[in-house]
Each structure stands twice: as C-alpha cells, then as structure tokens.
Amino acid sequence: MAKNILVLNGPNLNLLGVREPKIYGSNDIFQINQNLEDIANRNGSKIFFYQSNHEGDLIDKIHDSKNNGVDFIIINAAAYTHTSIALRDAMSATEIPFIEVHISNVFKREKFRHISYISDIAIGVISGLGIYGYEAALIYALNHEIKNF
C-alpha cells in the first residue's frame, strides 16, 4: 500500500551543509530530501518536505497533514524539540504516527538538549546517526502498518 509521508524540519535546518558541519555534516537539506525521495519512489510512496523557522508554520503544516492524507511524519523539530508544547499538542492532536529525528546525538550535547517535548508520544527517536537517521526513519515508516484512529 502506497503511503504519504511528510518530512518536517524545524528552525535552522535550512542551513545544513554550512551550519556547524562538524556537528551536522556537509550535506544540505536538498541532498537529504533527494535521498529520501529516491527511497520513497522506489517503494511506491509519496513523500513531501517542509522546513520552516517559524513555530506556527510548522504547527499549521501538521494540522493540514491530517486533512491531506499524510500517513506518517518524520520530524526534526530542531530547537523546538526542547521548547514547544504547542508543537507537541499539534502532533498529539492529529494522531499521525511519527518518528523524531536528530542529526546529532543530543545526549552528547548541552543539557537543555536532553529534554524533548515530543519523544514520549513518538513511535521512536533516532539521534546521532547523521543524515542516515532520516533514512532509517523512512524505512521504518514505509513498513509501518497504517492504523485507522
């Protein structure tokens, strides 16, 4: 069964490739998206990408996802992971299954990054695998059984 998958990226991820490459690597967001699109296409699924530096835009996209038939979300909420109750409420309200992804290992970084407002409602969390975390999340999403809520 083909799935509709949304990859949602939060603030500053538009700077991948130039932002702190020792932490985040040298691939930009377009390269990451292209890799994911290739995997989704090979598996007969549709994948959509959205990045915003604005919390409300991300929340609107999550809300719209419910009405647009998104079956699964892969989210790197970036800094909003550690600060946004509103983002958590949006993820919870839509009941779309999701995986939380972080390029860096947040547990090897500053203490405030150890807190996530969305981890406990996520199917899983991938942290520290670099861009391969997105690919692992996508492979899981492609094989995840869709349940009607």
Side-chain angles (χ1 to χ4, degrees):
M1 179 173 157
K3 294 183 180 178
N4 294 318
I5 299 166
L6 172 65
V7 178
L8 194 60
N9 282 293
N12 300 310
L13 292 171
N14 56 305
L15 298 177
L16 288 175
V18 296
R19 175 189 177 206
E20 300 174 274
K22 288 184 179 180
I23 295 174
Y24 298 105
S26 59
N27 290 335
D28 65 31
I29 197 166
F30 302 106
Q31 293 167 312
I32 295 167
N33 291 351
Q34 186 60 59
N35 290 345
L36 297 176
E37 188 167 35
D38 291 346
I39 294 167
N41 288 341
R42 284 195 306 268
N43 287 277
S45 289
K46 293 181 182 176
I47 191 163
F48 309 93
F49 304 97
Y50 188 76
Q51 185 280 326
S52 180
N53 295 319
H54 305 281
E55 183 179 30
D57 292 344
L58 295 167
I59 291 167
D60 288 343
K61 189 59 135 178
I62 294 165
H63 292 176
D64 292 344
S65 295
K66 184 71 171 181
N67 297 327
N68 293 330
V70 170
D71 300 305
F72 203 97
I73 296 174
I74 297 167
I75 183 170
N76 183 342
Y80 290 136
T81 302
H82 321 294
T83 63
S84 180
I85 295 168
L87 191 66
R88 174 201 171 81
D89 288 349
M91 296 301 294
S92 184
T94 61
E95 298 182 323
I96 298 171
F98 72 96
I99 291 180
E100 175 185 349
V101 173
H102 298 283
I103 295 170
S104 69
N105 182 347
V106 294
F107 298 101
K108 290 179 116 179
R109 299 188 63 200
E110 303 92 341
K111 199 90 164 147
F112 69 85
R113 295 188 197 276
H114 301 186
I115 298 165
S116 169
Y117 282 99
I118 61 174
S119 292
D120 66 314
I121 59 171
I123 287 176
V125 178
I126 300 172
S127 176
L129 298 182
I131 65 167
Y132 301 109
Y134 286 97
E135 294 176 15
L138 178 57
I139 290 166
Y140 180 87
L142 291 168
N143 293 291
H144 181 261
E145 181 180 330
I146 298 172
K147 297 179 182 171
N148 294 324
F149 292 96

